Short mmCIF file of all heavy atoms in Angstrom, two decimals:
data_model
loop_
_atom_site.label_atom_id
_atom_site.label_comp_id
_atom_site.label_asym_id
_atom_site.label_seq_id
_atom_site.Cartn_x
_atom_site.Cartn_y
_atom_site.Cartn_z
N GLU A 25 7.05 27.67 -20.52
CA GLU A 25 7.53 27.69 -21.91
C GLU A 25 6.60 28.70 -22.73
O GLU A 25 7.12 29.53 -23.51
CB GLU A 25 7.49 26.37 -22.66
CG GLU A 25 8.62 25.46 -22.15
CD GLU A 25 8.54 24.00 -22.50
OE1 GLU A 25 7.48 23.54 -22.87
OE2 GLU A 25 9.63 23.43 -22.48
N ARG A 26 5.23 28.59 -22.37
CA ARG A 26 4.38 29.36 -23.14
C ARG A 26 4.51 30.96 -22.68
O ARG A 26 4.56 31.89 -23.52
CB ARG A 26 2.79 29.13 -22.76
CG ARG A 26 1.88 29.95 -23.52
CD ARG A 26 0.36 29.72 -22.99
NE ARG A 26 0.25 30.17 -21.66
CZ ARG A 26 0.21 31.51 -21.33
NH1 ARG A 26 0.36 32.36 -22.12
NH2 ARG A 26 -0.03 31.65 -20.02
N LEU A 27 4.78 31.20 -21.41
CA LEU A 27 5.10 32.56 -20.98
C LEU A 27 6.38 33.04 -21.56
O LEU A 27 6.44 34.29 -22.04
CB LEU A 27 5.28 32.64 -19.43
CG LEU A 27 3.93 32.41 -18.67
CD1 LEU A 27 4.37 32.20 -17.13
CD2 LEU A 27 2.97 33.55 -18.82
N PHE A 28 7.43 32.26 -21.78
CA PHE A 28 8.64 32.62 -22.37
C PHE A 28 8.29 33.04 -23.91
O PHE A 28 8.85 34.18 -24.37
CB PHE A 28 9.63 31.53 -22.39
CG PHE A 28 11.04 32.06 -22.92
CD1 PHE A 28 11.91 32.71 -22.11
CD2 PHE A 28 11.36 31.92 -24.20
CE1 PHE A 28 13.11 33.13 -22.55
CE2 PHE A 28 12.62 32.37 -24.68
CZ PHE A 28 13.42 32.94 -23.93
N GLN A 29 7.63 32.23 -24.62
CA GLN A 29 7.32 32.56 -25.99
C GLN A 29 6.48 33.79 -26.12
O GLN A 29 6.64 34.52 -27.10
CB GLN A 29 6.49 31.30 -26.53
CG GLN A 29 7.42 30.05 -26.80
CD GLN A 29 8.49 30.26 -27.68
OE1 GLN A 29 8.47 30.99 -28.75
NE2 GLN A 29 9.61 29.62 -27.23
N ASP A 30 5.70 34.03 -25.07
CA ASP A 30 4.77 35.24 -25.13
C ASP A 30 5.61 36.51 -24.70
O ASP A 30 5.11 37.65 -24.71
CB ASP A 30 3.62 35.08 -24.16
CG ASP A 30 2.51 34.15 -24.78
OD1 ASP A 30 2.68 33.77 -25.88
OD2 ASP A 30 1.67 33.71 -23.98
N GLY A 31 6.84 36.37 -24.28
CA GLY A 31 7.62 37.43 -23.79
C GLY A 31 7.43 37.98 -22.43
O GLY A 31 7.80 39.06 -22.00
N ASP A 32 6.77 37.09 -21.66
CA ASP A 32 6.44 37.49 -20.27
C ASP A 32 7.43 37.07 -19.30
O ASP A 32 7.40 36.03 -18.56
CB ASP A 32 4.96 36.99 -19.88
CG ASP A 32 4.53 37.59 -18.59
OD1 ASP A 32 5.26 38.40 -17.83
OD2 ASP A 32 3.33 37.42 -18.26
N PHE A 33 8.68 37.70 -19.38
CA PHE A 33 9.86 37.25 -18.81
C PHE A 33 9.90 37.32 -17.31
O PHE A 33 10.35 36.52 -16.48
CB PHE A 33 11.12 37.94 -19.41
CG PHE A 33 11.17 37.78 -20.89
CD1 PHE A 33 11.23 38.92 -21.63
CD2 PHE A 33 11.33 36.58 -21.40
CE1 PHE A 33 11.33 38.81 -23.02
CE2 PHE A 33 11.39 36.41 -22.80
CZ PHE A 33 11.46 37.51 -23.60
N GLU A 34 9.12 38.30 -16.82
CA GLU A 34 9.01 38.46 -15.29
C GLU A 34 8.18 37.24 -14.72
O GLU A 34 8.63 36.77 -13.67
CB GLU A 34 8.05 39.81 -15.00
CG GLU A 34 8.84 41.05 -15.20
CD GLU A 34 9.97 41.42 -14.14
OE1 GLU A 34 10.02 40.68 -13.09
OE2 GLU A 34 10.77 42.29 -14.49
N LYS A 35 7.19 36.89 -15.40
CA LYS A 35 6.44 35.62 -14.90
C LYS A 35 7.24 34.36 -15.08
O LYS A 35 7.24 33.43 -14.20
CB LYS A 35 5.03 35.47 -15.69
CG LYS A 35 4.08 36.45 -15.36
CD LYS A 35 3.40 35.97 -14.02
CE LYS A 35 2.11 36.69 -13.75
NZ LYS A 35 1.68 36.51 -12.36
N VAL A 36 8.07 34.33 -16.16
CA VAL A 36 8.95 33.12 -16.30
C VAL A 36 9.87 33.06 -15.03
O VAL A 36 10.04 31.91 -14.54
CB VAL A 36 9.86 33.23 -17.66
CG1 VAL A 36 10.82 32.17 -17.73
CG2 VAL A 36 8.81 33.12 -18.79
N VAL A 37 10.47 34.13 -14.79
CA VAL A 37 11.45 34.16 -13.64
C VAL A 37 10.62 33.85 -12.28
O VAL A 37 11.20 33.01 -11.49
CB VAL A 37 12.13 35.47 -13.48
CG1 VAL A 37 12.93 35.55 -12.19
CG2 VAL A 37 13.01 35.63 -14.79
#
Side-chain angles (χ1 to χ4, degrees):
E25 288 173 335
R26 184 190 64 73
L27 289 167
F28 186 88
Q29 292 300 322
D30 291 346
D32 194 349
F33 303 121
E34 290 283 349
K35 282 281 191 196
V36 170
V37 172

